[in-house]
Amino acid sequence: MKNSNSASKFILLVFAAINLVPAAALHAGSGYDYSRSQLMGNSGLTIFREADYGNENGLSIYLDGVPITTLSRGEGYRAIVRPGRHVLTISNTPSPYGKTKFTNKTIHLAAGQNYAFTAIWEVETITLQDGGYQYHGFYR
């Protein structure tokens, strides 16, 4: 009696797992891009913080000199921005060497386009690379 009960539970578990896997794969695509209808003539901006950026360091983001946010470990920033020329500035918070250094990047955003950048901390400087994390399976 126990064998048929555990066998039916196992079959039910396998059936549930088979039905859940396609749903997870369906939503694993590029989740950080805005659709054209969401942008409505504006531009999408996404900023990632590199995974090994540092545990005690925050990434401060400024757009055209206006402080936007500070990202901690495992966070990213997403916004809809007016198209045109902008100055994207990032800095390390708190500065581990006693002097805050800013990295500036002039970006030209086109209407209806999504842009992604990744902040990378390299000892005393922060670089801002074009492109976000590449899609590898279920993770982004």
Side-chain angles (χ1 to χ4, degrees):
M1 183 70 172
K2 278 190 168 184
N3 286 341
S4 70
N5 192 16
S6 63
S8 63
K9 286 182 182 179
F10 178 73
I11 291 172
L12 184 62
L13 181 66
V14 170
F15 180 73
I18 289 171
N19 286 329
L20 291 177
V21 169
L26 182 67
H27 297 291
S30 59
Y32 67 88
D33 286 344
Y34 288 103
S35 68
R36 286 180 94 61
S37 63
Q38 288 175 316
L39 290 176
M40 297 186 327
N42 293 310
S43 302
L45 176 66
T46 304
I47 301 172
F48 296 105
R49 186 186 132 140
E50 184 183 38
D52 60 349
Y53 187 84
N55 291 337
E56 303 298 324
N57 297 328
L59 175 70
S60 294
I61 301 172
Y62 304 83
L63 188 63
D64 297 328
V66 177
I68 303 296
T69 188
T70 299
L71 302 178
S72 60
R73 187 174 188 194
E75 293 183 330
Y77 175 73
R78 228 180 108 178
I80 294 177
V81 182
R82 290 188 184 262
R85 180 185 174 275
H86 297 280
V87 178
L88 185 60
T89 306
I90 55 174
S91 70
N92 205 13
T93 305
S95 177
Y97 301 106
K99 185 175 181 184
T100 303
K101 296 183 179 179
F102 294 94
T103 300
N104 298 315
K105 183 174 184 107
T106 302
I107 54 176
H108 298 278
L109 305 178
Q113 298 294 318
N114 287 293
Y115 296 88
F117 299 96
T118 301
I120 299 172
W121 184 36
E122 297 173 346
V123 184
E124 290 189 23
T125 61
I126 303 170
T127 58
L128 198 59
Q129 289 186 347
D130 290 342
Y133 291 121
Q134 297 299 314
Y135 177 67
H136 299 289
F138 291 107
Y139 300 101
R140 189 164 262 295

